[in-house]
Amino acid sequence: MHPSEHMEQLIIDRLYPILQKHGIRDGVRKYRAQKNFGDVTIDLQKVNEDVPAQEIEALSDDILTFKKTNKFINVTYGNNYYCTLILDSIDEGSLFTFERKEKRILVEHTSANPTGPLHIGRARNSIIGDTIARILRKYGFEVTTEYYMDDIGTQVEALLLGTEKFKDDNYTEAYRKYFAEIDSHREEVENAMKMAESGNEKFIAESKKRLEVFLYDLLKDLEDLNIFFDGFTWESRFILDGSVKVVLDNLKEHLKDDEGAKYIQRGEDKIYLMRSNGTSLYFTRDIAYHILKSRNYDLSIDVLGEDHKDHFKNLTYILGILGIHSTEAVFYSFVVTKKGKMSTRRGNVVTLRDLISESIELAEDEIRKRRTDLDEKTVGEIARKIGTAAVRYNMIKFAPEKPITFDWDEALNFEGEAAPFIMYSYARASSILKKASGSGTLNKQFLDREAELLKEISRFPEVVKDAAERRRPDRIAKYSYELSSTFNQFYRDCPVIGDIENYQKRVNITKAFKLTMDQIFDLLGIIPSDKI
RNA sequence: GGGCCCGUGGCCUAGUCUGGAUAAGGCACUGGCCUUCUAAGCCAGUGAGCCCGGGUUCAAAUCCCGGCGGGCCCGCCA
């Protein structure tokens, strides 16, 4: 049981018998208290009965203080009791561990066609997906991440043919050129697609080999952001293993015919599964993919742009017909620039690669401004950590459904709610611990400022739970800011080195903060630095 | 035209699921804090009643209905 749960149980044990004595059973609500109202609020506004204030307040002791105003009962935890509990839970490691869920989850994200470096809109997918995977893993699920690689569609055939035709250009440029004149290449693209669609193993193997080169280039940027995949699924496998046919067979009784093409009627909509020329659609292969997922995992989470909402709705509809209900999606809104939607034509595409290097460069400048004592190599290492962390943090701090208008100034603002802020407070803690030497006697009297920090630390389990269950990675970023901010206040008011009376206690608190931040950095995919 | 999402101080965001006590932060702005552990920090201040209009409720940023503004989708594309 985490410390906060323990305290809540104490409240229930002590308070609820009294409430029941007064006929109160339903309508009692309990939530985290607002600022200046203690730690937990028991709200009786929904119940008709009331309890005399004296009777409630008489329950108070050193562990719990009850105060009743109107129909609110505000409970404040005793600093010494609760703080000791929190520090103990960190010693045991129990604050950071969750019950194992015995449930396998597949998080599929990114899955972009590797026609060029990722732009920041696509990167939002990767960062959300990777962070959600990290959170769910921490929360106790068995999590696997996967990239779904298209190797048989129009785009990739154009990429393969284009890079052949314009050998001298870089591959993105070759693809662009080729796509610009796509009309004159209709036939060869269609031929290529037919080769793939017919299950020509040699052709597919060859495509795969060439696509891998482009894929690795794309993955390099993600590696910089500490994003790696557990596996890759190539779309062609659903042609090769015949599962597309199986899908159509299993849905046979629901299929309708449109001049040879097959579709399923869903309300007003027709969901096509086979073209009249007998070839399958991306959608059909996606069904096959999700059937495969449902066999190997208890839950599949797809990270998708909001443009895929209808596609996904149709997908779950058909999976439902097949009795599969273990598929859900996390949708995110697009990243646009001030000039509007990113498009190559308008020349306003911001690549992840550029953003990362700008961010690292700025971090380097900032470090040089403050630290003249560090050697080149160290400056570079720290700049790398800060720069990449800033990119991740700025993308993840917004709720996924929130549209983002990208702005260089904002993306490269290293003050306030940003990665350097949380990394800075961490470096401060590290610096204290580095200077702290020897141990002293532990003073178990906790001051409010110390307790505030520990209480913030003790929120870790419930924040992770909330972020995991609601698929809201931004909650972790928010929490990391609040926790760091609380530490900065502690840092101001509570000297560690030199205060003999409080030394050991504050060393322990500082360690606790640092350990909690280690957990958070891991969840956010940020690599911390002891000095910045 | 239909469907989905977003709309909170000058700008950006949390709170909306689970309705309740003075709407919480960041940026920007104003003033203050570096002879003690890193000032990418801290403290104080100015600034919104939550897009608009109805409704439900003792109580609405939060729930319901209708608008408005912005985004996305509405292929035998992926």
PDB file of all heavy atoms in Angstrom, chain A residues 29 275 370 424 428 431 491-492 531, chain B residues 20 37-43 77:
ATOM      1  N   ARG A  29     -18.032  12.399  -0.463  1.00  0.00           N
ATOM      2  CA  ARG A  29     -16.971  12.418  -1.472  1.00  0.00           C
ATOM      3  C   ARG A  29     -15.651  12.793  -0.842  1.00  0.00           C
ATOM      4  O   ARG A  29     -15.595  13.581   0.104  1.00  0.00           O
ATOM      5  CB  ARG A  29     -17.335  13.387  -2.593  1.00  0.00           C
ATOM      6  CG  ARG A  29     -18.443  12.825  -3.498  1.00  0.00           C
ATOM      7  CD  ARG A  29     -18.920  13.854  -4.467  1.00  0.00           C
ATOM      8  NE  ARG A  29     -19.423  15.031  -3.781  1.00  0.00           N
ATOM      9  CZ  ARG A  29     -19.586  16.199  -4.379  1.00  0.00           C
ATOM     10  NH1 ARG A  29     -19.257  16.351  -5.639  1.00  0.00           N
ATOM     11  NH2 ARG A  29     -20.065  17.222  -3.707  1.00  0.00           N
ATOM     12  N   ARG A 275     -10.898  -4.617 -53.801  1.00  0.00           N
ATOM     13  CA  ARG A 275     -11.165  -3.885 -55.030  1.00  0.00           C
ATOM     14  C   ARG A 275     -11.810  -4.819 -56.053  1.00  0.00           C
ATOM     15  O   ARG A 275     -11.724  -6.049 -55.927  1.00  0.00           O
ATOM     16  CB  ARG A 275      -9.861  -3.352 -55.614  1.00  0.00           C
ATOM     17  CG  ARG A 275      -9.127  -2.365 -54.739  1.00  0.00           C
ATOM     18  CD  ARG A 275      -8.016  -1.693 -55.546  1.00  0.00           C
ATOM     19  NE  ARG A 275      -7.222  -0.793 -54.718  1.00  0.00           N
ATOM     20  CZ  ARG A 275      -6.121  -1.165 -54.069  1.00  0.00           C
ATOM     21  NH1 ARG A 275      -5.682  -2.410 -54.135  1.00  0.00           N
ATOM     22  NH2 ARG A 275      -5.451  -0.294 -53.354  1.00  0.00           N
ATOM     23  N   ARG A 370      26.942  30.090 -18.516  1.00  0.00           N
ATOM     24  CA  ARG A 370      26.944  29.933 -17.057  1.00  0.00           C
ATOM     25  C   ARG A 370      28.126  29.157 -16.512  1.00  0.00           C
ATOM     26  O   ARG A 370      28.485  29.317 -15.364  1.00  0.00           O
ATOM     27  CB  ARG A 370      25.686  29.198 -16.601  1.00  0.00           C
ATOM     28  CG  ARG A 370      24.445  29.820 -17.072  1.00  0.00           C
ATOM     29  CD  ARG A 370      23.290  28.867 -17.078  1.00  0.00           C
ATOM     30  NE  ARG A 370      22.505  29.132 -18.270  1.00  0.00           N
ATOM     31  CZ  ARG A 370      21.434  29.905 -18.289  1.00  0.00           C
ATOM     32  NH1 ARG A 370      20.973  30.421 -17.184  1.00  0.00           N
ATOM     33  NH2 ARG A 370      20.808  30.157 -19.405  1.00  0.00           N
ATOM     34  N   TYR A 424      17.280  21.218 -14.048  1.00  0.00           N
ATOM     35  CA  TYR A 424      18.037  22.139 -13.206  1.00  0.00           C
ATOM     36  C   TYR A 424      17.846  21.802 -11.731  1.00  0.00           C
ATOM     37  O   TYR A 424      18.808  21.751 -10.962  1.00  0.00           O
ATOM     38  CB  TYR A 424      17.591  23.570 -13.492  1.00  0.00           C
ATOM     39  CG  TYR A 424      18.342  24.604 -12.725  1.00  0.00           C
ATOM     40  CD1 TYR A 424      19.673  24.869 -13.015  1.00  0.00           C
ATOM     41  CD2 TYR A 424      17.727  25.321 -11.703  1.00  0.00           C
ATOM     42  CE1 TYR A 424      20.378  25.821 -12.301  1.00  0.00           C
ATOM     43  CE2 TYR A 424      18.414  26.273 -10.992  1.00  0.00           C
ATOM     44  CZ  TYR A 424      19.740  26.513 -11.288  1.00  0.00           C
ATOM     45  OH  TYR A 424      20.431  27.450 -10.582  1.00  0.00           O
ATOM     46  N   ARG A 428      20.642  20.533  -9.012  1.00  0.00           N
ATOM     47  CA  ARG A 428      20.844  21.144  -7.695  1.00  0.00           C
ATOM     48  C   ARG A 428      20.878  20.060  -6.623  1.00  0.00           C
ATOM     49  O   ARG A 428      21.740  20.066  -5.740  1.00  0.00           O
ATOM     50  CB  ARG A 428      19.692  22.105  -7.389  1.00  0.00           C
ATOM     51  CG  ARG A 428      19.836  23.459  -8.029  1.00  0.00           C
ATOM     52  CD  ARG A 428      18.587  24.278  -7.746  1.00  0.00           C
ATOM     53  NE  ARG A 428      18.879  25.706  -7.711  1.00  0.00           N
ATOM     54  CZ  ARG A 428      17.966  26.639  -7.450  1.00  0.00           C
ATOM     55  NH1 ARG A 428      16.710  26.290  -7.206  1.00  0.00           N
ATOM     56  NH2 ARG A 428      18.294  27.903  -7.422  1.00  0.00           N
ATOM     57  N   SER A 431      24.017  18.113  -6.795  1.00  0.00           N
ATOM     58  CA  SER A 431      25.141  18.899  -6.305  1.00  0.00           C
ATOM     59  C   SER A 431      25.212  18.869  -4.774  1.00  0.00           C
ATOM     60  O   SER A 431      26.285  18.762  -4.190  1.00  0.00           O
ATOM     61  CB  SER A 431      24.986  20.320  -6.827  1.00  0.00           C
ATOM     62  OG  SER A 431      25.945  21.154  -6.260  1.00  0.00           O
ATOM     63  N   TYR A 491      14.733  24.028  -1.502  1.00  0.00           N
ATOM     64  CA  TYR A 491      16.132  24.407  -1.714  1.00  0.00           C
ATOM     65  C   TYR A 491      16.421  25.809  -1.153  1.00  0.00           C
ATOM     66  O   TYR A 491      17.456  26.053  -0.552  1.00  0.00           O
ATOM     67  CB  TYR A 491      16.421  24.363  -3.216  1.00  0.00           C
ATOM     68  CG  TYR A 491      17.827  24.734  -3.598  1.00  0.00           C
ATOM     69  CD1 TYR A 491      18.821  23.776  -3.684  1.00  0.00           C
ATOM     70  CD2 TYR A 491      18.162  26.057  -3.896  1.00  0.00           C
ATOM     71  CE1 TYR A 491      20.110  24.110  -4.043  1.00  0.00           C
ATOM     72  CE2 TYR A 491      19.450  26.406  -4.247  1.00  0.00           C
ATOM     73  CZ  TYR A 491      20.423  25.431  -4.322  1.00  0.00           C
ATOM     74  OH  TYR A 491      21.689  25.769  -4.672  1.00  0.00           O
ATOM     75  N   ARG A 492      15.472  26.680  -1.360  1.00  0.00           N
ATOM     76  CA  ARG A 492      15.634  28.052  -0.876  1.00  0.00           C
ATOM     77  C   ARG A 492      15.588  28.122   0.642  1.00  0.00           C
ATOM     78  O   ARG A 492      16.398  28.788   1.267  1.00  0.00           O
ATOM     79  CB  ARG A 492      14.515  28.921  -1.464  1.00  0.00           C
ATOM     80  CG  ARG A 492      14.513  30.371  -1.000  1.00  0.00           C
ATOM     81  CD  ARG A 492      13.161  31.014  -1.259  1.00  0.00           C
ATOM     82  NE  ARG A 492      12.098  30.334  -0.523  1.00  0.00           N
ATOM     83  CZ  ARG A 492      10.834  30.279  -0.925  1.00  0.00           C
ATOM     84  NH1 ARG A 492      10.473  30.816  -2.069  1.00  0.00           N
ATOM     85  NH2 ARG A 492       9.934  29.656  -0.187  1.00  0.00           N
ATOM     86  N   LYS A 531      24.934  17.489 -13.479  1.00  0.00           N
ATOM     87  CA  LYS A 531      25.252  18.922 -13.524  1.00  0.00           C
ATOM     88  C   LYS A 531      24.750  19.500 -14.832  1.00  0.00           C
ATOM     89  O   LYS A 531      24.779  18.831 -15.868  1.00  0.00           O
ATOM     90  CB  LYS A 531      26.755  19.156 -13.359  1.00  0.00           C
ATOM     91  CG  LYS A 531      27.622  18.268 -14.213  1.00  0.00           C
ATOM     92  CD  LYS A 531      29.095  18.514 -13.902  1.00  0.00           C
ATOM     93  CE  LYS A 531      29.966  17.571 -14.723  1.00  0.00           C
ATOM     94  NZ  LYS A 531      31.005  16.925 -13.965  1.00  0.00           N
TER      95      LYS A 531
ATOM     96  P     G B  20     -16.497  20.155  -9.303  1.00  0.00           P
ATOM     97  OP1   G B  20     -15.376  20.778 -10.007  1.00  0.00           O
ATOM     98  OP2   G B  20     -16.325  18.978  -8.436  1.00  0.00           O
ATOM     99  O5'   G B  20     -17.207  21.280  -8.461  1.00  0.00           O
ATOM    100  C5'   G B  20     -16.542  21.745  -7.299  1.00  0.00           C
ATOM    101  C4'   G B  20     -17.511  22.612  -6.540  1.00  0.00           C
ATOM    102  O4'   G B  20     -18.752  21.933  -6.395  1.00  0.00           O
ATOM    103  C3'   G B  20     -16.995  22.936  -5.140  1.00  0.00           C
ATOM    104  O3'   G B  20     -16.668  24.313  -5.090  1.00  0.00           O
ATOM    105  C2'   G B  20     -18.155  22.587  -4.193  1.00  0.00           C
ATOM    106  O2'   G B  20     -18.584  23.762  -3.496  1.00  0.00           O
ATOM    107  C1'   G B  20     -19.280  22.201  -5.130  1.00  0.00           C
ATOM    108  N9    G B  20     -20.153  21.097  -4.768  1.00  0.00           N
ATOM    109  C8    G B  20     -19.937  19.760  -4.821  1.00  0.00           C
ATOM    110  N7    G B  20     -20.994  19.040  -4.527  1.00  0.00           N
ATOM    111  C5    G B  20     -21.966  19.982  -4.255  1.00  0.00           C
ATOM    112  C6    G B  20     -23.317  19.834  -3.896  1.00  0.00           C
ATOM    113  O6    G B  20     -23.959  18.802  -3.766  1.00  0.00           O
ATOM    114  N1    G B  20     -23.940  21.055  -3.714  1.00  0.00           N
ATOM    115  C2    G B  20     -23.318  22.288  -3.862  1.00  0.00           C
ATOM    116  N2    G B  20     -24.062  23.365  -3.638  1.00  0.00           N
ATOM    117  N3    G B  20     -22.061  22.452  -4.221  1.00  0.00           N
ATOM    118  C4    G B  20     -21.460  21.265  -4.394  1.00  0.00           C
ATOM    119  P     C B  37      26.524  28.703  -1.883  1.00  0.00           P
ATOM    120  OP1   C B  37      27.635  28.596  -2.855  1.00  0.00           O
ATOM    121  OP2   C B  37      25.379  29.586  -2.175  1.00  0.00           O
ATOM    122  O5'   C B  37      25.969  27.255  -1.577  1.00  0.00           O
ATOM    123  C5'   C B  37      26.883  26.189  -1.291  1.00  0.00           C
ATOM    124  C4'   C B  37      26.245  24.874  -1.625  1.00  0.00           C
ATOM    125  O4'   C B  37      25.234  24.568  -0.638  1.00  0.00           O
ATOM    126  C3'   C B  37      25.496  24.842  -2.948  1.00  0.00           C
ATOM    127  O3'   C B  37      26.413  24.511  -3.963  1.00  0.00           O
ATOM    128  C2'   C B  37      24.450  23.745  -2.736  1.00  0.00           C
ATOM    129  O2'   C B  37      24.916  22.479  -3.164  1.00  0.00           O
ATOM    130  C1'   C B  37      24.279  23.704  -1.218  1.00  0.00           C
ATOM    131  N1    C B  37      22.945  24.114  -0.759  1.00  0.00           N
ATOM    132  C2    C B  37      22.338  23.368   0.261  1.00  0.00           C
ATOM    133  O2    C B  37      22.929  22.417   0.745  1.00  0.00           O
ATOM    134  N3    C B  37      21.125  23.747   0.700  1.00  0.00           N
ATOM    135  C4    C B  37      20.513  24.788   0.159  1.00  0.00           C
ATOM    136  N4    C B  37      19.318  25.117   0.631  1.00  0.00           N
ATOM    137  C5    C B  37      21.110  25.563  -0.896  1.00  0.00           C
ATOM    138  C6    C B  37      22.315  25.191  -1.327  1.00  0.00           C
ATOM    139  P     U B  38      25.900  24.158  -5.456  1.00  0.00           P
ATOM    140  OP1   U B  38      25.108  22.936  -5.330  1.00  0.00           O
ATOM    141  OP2   U B  38      27.111  24.169  -6.308  1.00  0.00           O
ATOM    142  O5'   U B  38      24.876  25.316  -5.914  1.00  0.00           O
ATOM    143  C5'   U B  38      25.265  26.647  -6.159  1.00  0.00           C
ATOM    144  C4'   U B  38      24.804  27.011  -7.562  1.00  0.00           C
ATOM    145  O4'   U B  38      25.159  25.923  -8.433  1.00  0.00           O
ATOM    146  C3'   U B  38      23.307  27.218  -7.703  1.00  0.00           C
ATOM    147  O3'   U B  38      23.088  28.589  -8.004  1.00  0.00           O
ATOM    148  C2'   U B  38      22.895  26.339  -8.888  1.00  0.00           C
ATOM    149  O2'   U B  38      22.244  27.116  -9.889  1.00  0.00           O
ATOM    150  C1'   U B  38      24.228  25.912  -9.486  1.00  0.00           C
ATOM    151  N1    U B  38      24.270  24.596 -10.100  1.00  0.00           N
ATOM    152  C2    U B  38      24.183  24.594 -11.492  1.00  0.00           C
ATOM    153  O2    U B  38      24.033  25.615 -12.160  1.00  0.00           O
ATOM    154  N3    U B  38      24.274  23.351 -12.065  1.00  0.00           N
ATOM    155  C4    U B  38      24.445  22.155 -11.408  1.00  0.00           C
ATOM    156  O4    U B  38      24.529  21.128 -12.055  1.00  0.00           O
ATOM    157  C5    U B  38      24.513  22.263  -9.968  1.00  0.00           C
ATOM    158  C6    U B  38      24.425  23.451  -9.389  1.00  0.00           C
ATOM    159  P     A B  39      21.876  29.425  -7.452  1.00  0.00           P
ATOM    160  OP1   A B  39      22.438  30.443  -6.557  1.00  0.00           O
ATOM    161  OP2   A B  39      20.866  28.492  -6.958  1.00  0.00           O
ATOM    162  O5'   A B  39      21.276  30.194  -8.709  1.00  0.00           O
ATOM    163  C5'   A B  39      20.218  29.628  -9.466  1.00  0.00           C
ATOM    164  C4'   A B  39      19.768  30.631 -10.499  1.00  0.00           C
ATOM    165  O4'   A B  39      19.151  31.761  -9.822  1.00  0.00           O
ATOM    166  C3'   A B  39      20.911  31.196 -11.328  1.00  0.00           C
ATOM    167  O3'   A B  39      20.483  31.389 -12.672  1.00  0.00           O
ATOM    168  C2'   A B  39      21.191  32.553 -10.676  1.00  0.00           C
ATOM    169  O2'   A B  39      21.693  33.515 -11.571  1.00  0.00           O
ATOM    170  C1'   A B  39      19.788  32.953 -10.215  1.00  0.00           C
ATOM    171  N9    A B  39      19.825  33.850  -9.063  1.00  0.00           N
ATOM    172  C8    A B  39      20.046  33.570  -7.757  1.00  0.00           C
ATOM    173  N7    A B  39      20.005  34.622  -6.969  1.00  0.00           N
ATOM    174  C5    A B  39      19.745  35.666  -7.838  1.00  0.00           C
ATOM    175  C6    A B  39      19.587  37.041  -7.640  1.00  0.00           C
ATOM    176  N6    A B  39      19.670  37.611  -6.451  1.00  0.00           N
ATOM    177  N1    A B  39      19.335  37.807  -8.718  1.00  0.00           N
ATOM    178  C2    A B  39      19.248  37.224  -9.907  1.00  0.00           C
ATOM    179  N3    A B  39      19.375  35.939 -10.231  1.00  0.00           N
ATOM    180  C4    A B  39      19.620  35.204  -9.139  1.00  0.00           C
ATOM    181  P     A B  40      20.784  30.268 -13.793  1.00  0.00           P
ATOM    182  OP1   A B  40      21.495  29.143 -13.221  1.00  0.00           O
ATOM    183  OP2   A B  40      21.369  30.999 -14.939  1.00  0.00           O
ATOM    184  O5'   A B  40      19.331  29.782 -14.215  1.00  0.00           O
ATOM    185  C5'   A B  40      18.388  30.698 -14.765  1.00  0.00           C
ATOM    186  C4'   A B  40      17.417  29.919 -15.609  1.00  0.00           C
ATOM    187  O4'   A B  40      18.163  29.253 -16.644  1.00  0.00           O
ATOM    188  C3'   A B  40      16.682  28.844 -14.829  1.00  0.00           C
ATOM    189  O3'   A B  40      15.354  28.686 -15.331  1.00  0.00           O
ATOM    190  C2'   A B  40      17.477  27.577 -15.133  1.00  0.00           C
ATOM    191  O2'   A B  40      16.693  26.416 -15.107  1.00  0.00           O
ATOM    192  C1'   A B  40      17.944  27.851 -16.554  1.00  0.00           C
ATOM    193  N9    A B  40      19.173  27.151 -16.930  1.00  0.00           N
ATOM    194  C8    A B  40      20.294  26.898 -16.203  1.00  0.00           C
ATOM    195  N7    A B  40      21.209  26.224 -16.849  1.00  0.00           N
ATOM    196  C5    A B  40      20.639  26.035 -18.104  1.00  0.00           C
ATOM    197  C6    A B  40      21.083  25.401 -19.261  1.00  0.00           C
ATOM    198  N6    A B  40      22.266  24.818 -19.354  1.00  0.00           N
ATOM    199  N1    A B  40      20.258  25.381 -20.323  1.00  0.00           N
ATOM    200  C2    A B  40      19.084  25.978 -20.235  1.00  0.00           C
ATOM    201  N3    A B  40      18.533  26.616 -19.198  1.00  0.00           N
ATOM    202  C4    A B  40      19.380  26.605 -18.164  1.00  0.00           C
ATOM    203  P     G B  41      14.154  29.382 -14.538  1.00  0.00           P
ATOM    204  OP1   G B  41      12.908  28.629 -14.786  1.00  0.00           O
ATOM    205  OP2   G B  41      14.218  30.817 -14.846  1.00  0.00           O
ATOM    206  O5'   G B  41      14.570  29.187 -13.017  1.00  0.00           O
ATOM    207  C5'   G B  41      14.503  27.901 -12.403  1.00  0.00           C
ATOM    208  C4'   G B  41      14.895  28.040 -10.958  1.00  0.00           C
ATOM    209  O4'   G B  41      16.164  28.750 -10.884  1.00  0.00           O
ATOM    210  C3'   G B  41      13.948  28.900 -10.126  1.00  0.00           C
ATOM    211  O3'   G B  41      12.850  28.139  -9.662  1.00  0.00           O
ATOM    212  C2'   G B  41      14.869  29.332  -8.996  1.00  0.00           C
ATOM    213  O2'   G B  41      15.103  28.284  -8.084  1.00  0.00           O
ATOM    214  C1'   G B  41      16.162  29.610  -9.762  1.00  0.00           C
ATOM    215  N9    G B  41      16.204  30.995 -10.247  1.00  0.00           N
ATOM    216  C8    G B  41      16.182  31.419 -11.547  1.00  0.00           C
ATOM    217  N7    G B  41      16.226  32.718 -11.666  1.00  0.00           N
ATOM    218  C5    G B  41      16.271  33.181 -10.362  1.00  0.00           C
ATOM    219  C6    G B  41      16.319  34.505  -9.862  1.00  0.00           C
ATOM    220  O6    G B  41      16.346  35.577 -10.480  1.00  0.00           O
ATOM    221  N1    G B  41      16.344  34.530  -8.469  1.00  0.00           N
ATOM    222  C2    G B  41      16.324  33.418  -7.671  1.00  0.00           C
ATOM    223  N2    G B  41      16.357  33.646  -6.362  1.00  0.00           N
ATOM    224  N3    G B  41      16.283  32.173  -8.124  1.00  0.00           N
ATOM    225  C4    G B  41      16.258  32.137  -9.467  1.00  0.00           C
ATOM    226  P     C B  42      11.452  28.809  -9.398  1.00  0.00           P
ATOM    227  OP1   C B  42      10.494  27.740  -9.051  1.00  0.00           O
ATOM    228  OP2   C B  42      11.135  29.759 -10.480  1.00  0.00           O
ATOM    229  O5'   C B  42      11.753  29.659  -8.094  1.00  0.00           O
ATOM    230  C5'   C B  42      11.989  29.020  -6.854  1.00  0.00           C
ATOM    231  C4'   C B  42      12.225  30.064  -5.803  1.00  0.00           C
ATOM    232  O4'   C B  42      13.341  30.898  -6.202  1.00  0.00           O
ATOM    233  C3'   C B  42      11.089  31.061  -5.619  1.00  0.00           C
ATOM    234  O3'   C B  42      10.064  30.530  -4.799  1.00  0.00           O
ATOM    235  C2'   C B  42      11.813  32.228  -4.973  1.00  0.00           C
ATOM    236  O2'   C B  42      12.096  31.975  -3.618  1.00  0.00           O
ATOM    237  C1'   C B  42      13.128  32.229  -5.755  1.00  0.00           C
ATOM    238  N1    C B  42      13.079  33.137  -6.913  1.00  0.00           N
ATOM    239  C2    C B  42      13.204  34.513  -6.687  1.00  0.00           C
ATOM    240  O2    C B  42      13.326  34.915  -5.522  1.00  0.00           O
ATOM    241  N3    C B  42      13.173  35.365  -7.735  1.00  0.00           N
ATOM    242  C4    C B  42      13.033  34.892  -8.978  1.00  0.00           C
ATOM    243  N4    C B  42      13.014  35.773  -9.984  1.00  0.00           N
ATOM    244  C5    C B  42      12.895  33.491  -9.243  1.00  0.00           C
ATOM    245  C6    C B  42      12.928  32.658  -8.193  1.00  0.00           C
ATOM    246  P     C B  43       8.560  30.969  -5.038  1.00  0.00           P
ATOM    247  OP1   C B  43       7.729  30.102  -4.183  1.00  0.00           O
ATOM    248  OP2   C B  43       8.281  31.066  -6.482  1.00  0.00           O
ATOM    249  O5'   C B  43       8.537  32.435  -4.442  1.00  0.00           O
ATOM    250  C5'   C B  43       8.763  32.647  -3.063  1.00  0.00           C
ATOM    251  C4'   C B  43       8.782  34.120  -2.765  1.00  0.00           C
ATOM    252  O4'   C B  43       9.892  34.750  -3.462  1.00  0.00           O
ATOM    253  C3'   C B  43       7.578  34.898  -3.270  1.00  0.00           C
ATOM    254  O3'   C B  43       6.463  34.757  -2.416  1.00  0.00           O
ATOM    255  C2'   C B  43       8.130  36.321  -3.260  1.00  0.00           C
ATOM    256  O2'   C B  43       8.185  36.862  -1.959  1.00  0.00           O
ATOM    257  C1'   C B  43       9.552  36.086  -3.765  1.00  0.00           C
ATOM    258  N1    C B  43       9.664  36.305  -5.225  1.00  0.00           N
ATOM    259  C2    C B  43       9.736  37.628  -5.686  1.00  0.00           C
ATOM    260  O2    C B  43       9.694  38.548  -4.858  1.00  0.00           O
ATOM    261  N3    C B  43       9.843  37.867  -7.012  1.00  0.00           N
ATOM    262  C4    C B  43       9.876  36.837  -7.866  1.00  0.00           C
ATOM    263  N4    C B  43       9.985  37.122  -9.165  1.00  0.00           N
ATOM    264  C5    C B  43       9.789  35.481  -7.424  1.00  0.00           C
ATOM    265  C6    C B  43       9.690  35.256  -6.104  1.00  0.00           C
ATOM    266  P     C B  77      -8.704   2.569 -54.228  1.00  0.00           P
ATOM    267  OP1   C B  77      -9.095   3.272 -55.448  1.00  0.00           O
ATOM    268  OP2   C B  77      -7.503   1.688 -54.268  1.00  0.00           O
ATOM    269  O5'   C B  77      -8.532   3.607 -53.045  1.00  0.00           O
ATOM    270  C5'   C B  77      -7.746   3.272 -51.935  1.00  0.00           C
ATOM    271  C4'   C B  77      -6.455   4.046 -52.009  1.00  0.00           C
ATOM    272  O4'   C B  77      -6.737   5.448 -51.797  1.00  0.00           O
ATOM    273  C3'   C B  77      -5.446   3.692 -50.952  1.00  0.00           C
ATOM    274  O3'   C B  77      -4.695   2.553 -51.345  1.00  0.00           O
ATOM    275  C2'   C B  77      -4.607   4.956 -50.915  1.00  0.00           C
ATOM    276  O2'   C B  77      -3.700   4.991 -51.997  1.00  0.00           O
ATOM    277  C1'   C B  77      -5.670   6.049 -51.104  1.00  0.00           C
ATOM    278  N1    C B  77      -6.186   6.590 -49.837  1.00  0.00           N
ATOM    279  C2    C B  77      -5.448   7.590 -49.192  1.00  0.00           C
ATOM    280  O2    C B  77      -4.391   7.962 -49.698  1.00  0.00           O
ATOM    281  N3    C B  77      -5.919   8.112 -48.038  1.00  0.00           N
ATOM    282  C4    C B  77      -7.061   7.672 -47.529  1.00  0.00           C
ATOM    283  N4    C B  77      -7.483   8.223 -46.400  1.00  0.00           N
ATOM    284  C5    C B  77      -7.827   6.658 -48.153  1.00  0.00           C
ATOM    285  C6    C B  77      -7.353   6.139 -49.294  1.00  0.00           C
TER     286        C B  77
END
